[in-house]
Amino acid sequence: MERELKCLVSKEQYDQIIKSYDFSKSWIQINTYYDTTSKQVKKQNAAVRIRTIDSKKIFTLKIRKDKLTHFEYEKEISTDKIDNINDPEVLSWLQKLNLSEPLKKTVVIQTERRIYRTEEAELCADYNIFNDIHDYEIEYEYLKEHDGIKTFNEILHPFHMKYEKNCPSKIARAFDYILCSKR
């Protein structure tokens, strides 16, 4: 189970936040998302991704439980090509989607991720690039059950911010940006 809160922030707010906390971990990750031509994954409120960090490749299947929670199936794999996955466990996760078409690459997102870890959660500061669109996002990812909204708001308060869900997921934003650029 994955529970997270996220909000889009301005570059100025992002810069203030990363200067105010000891974001000891930082890396670049390439997130490649997949769906079928008829969007069978999206229609099931799910997402299929291969994340590459250096030479490490991680397969992820997320299925929404509610607006804050996802079931997340994740495993390191040996390939960055969806058609070359032969891990039986990963293939069994994909079978849960009952897809009638092959998966194809839909969008690639590059993220510079910084993490500040507390006992209860990870605060992630993400700088995302979708084609030539850049955005900034702060995520609060639960590590254990607690009043995360209250704690996240305590973190945001010094920056004159309050948590309100103001952004869809990275993949949904990427699709929105792509649709807007085609208009």
Side-chain angles (χ1 to χ4, degrees):
M1 294 271 255
E2 177 192 58
R3 285 192 83 189
E4 64 185 12
L5 308 170
K6 60 175 69 187
C7 52
L8 285 175
V9 297
S10 68
K11 179 172 181 358
E12 293 75 23
Q13 291 168 318
Y14 174 87
D15 289 340
Q16 289 176 337
I17 290 169
I18 64 172
K19 288 176 185 165
S20 299
Y21 287 92
D22 181 18
F23 285 93
S24 55
K25 293 182 181 179
S26 173
W27 63 85
I28 300 291
Q29 57 192 36
I30 306 299
N31 299 304
T32 305
Y33 289 89
Y34 298 87
D35 204 339
T36 65
T37 301
S38 63
K39 311 243 182 298
Q40 292 177 3
V41 175
K42 182 180 180 182
K43 288 175 183 172
Q44 296 180 63
N45 292 314
V48 173
R49 165 184 82 205
I50 296 177
R51 172 175 286 164
T52 304
I53 303 170
D54 296 323
S55 62
K56 187 177 184 177
K57 292 140 189 78
I58 304 160
F59 173 87
T60 305
L61 168 61
K62 287 187 182 188
I63 302 170
R64 185 183 318 151
K65 179 181 182 227
D66 58 46
K67 65 182 179 176
L68 296 179
T69 311
H70 292 87
F71 294 107
E72 184 175 84
Y73 304 90
E74 194 167 80
K75 186 173 187 178
E76 189 170 343
I77 57 176
S78 60
T79 181
D80 61 356
K81 306 253 186 287
I82 199 81
D83 295 335
N84 293 346
I85 294 175
N86 58 13
D87 181 285
E89 185 174 27
V90 172
L91 293 173
S92 74
W93 297 338
L94 285 170
Q95 286 176 344
K96 291 179 185 187
L97 295 174
N98 293 315
L99 303 175
S100 61
E101 303 170 35
L103 289 168
K104 64 181 186 88
K105 186 187 310 184
T106 56
V107 68
V108 178
I109 302 165
Q110 177 179 306
T111 299
E112 179 182 358
R113 172 160 280 190
R114 299 169 191 271
I115 291 187
Y116 173 77
R117 190 178 179 117
T118 70
E119 186 178 313
E120 297 176 321
E122 286 182 339
L123 184 64
C124 303
D126 289 350
Y127 166 49
N128 304 300
I129 302 171
F130 317 81
N131 297 335
D132 27 336
I133 304 286
H134 302 239
D135 74 19
Y136 302 87
E137 168 182 56
I138 302 299
E139 286 186 9
Y140 184 85
E141 194 164 320
Y142 290 66
L143 296 174
K144 65 182 187 183
E145 191 58 43
H146 66 287
D147 186 350
I149 293 175
K150 178 180 181 251
T151 306
F152 193 32
N153 278 324
E154 289 168 359
I155 291 168
L156 296 173
H157 180 73
F159 310 102
H160 310 288
M161 296 170 54
K162 183 176 180 183
Y163 169 72
E164 51 186 271
K165 185 167 173 52
N166 72 349
C167 68
S169 66
K170 284 178 185 64
I171 186 171
R173 291 197 317 273
F175 283 130
D176 287 347
Y177 297 146
I178 290 166
L179 285 175
C180 287
S181 69
K182 289 181 179 178
R183 290 182 189 152

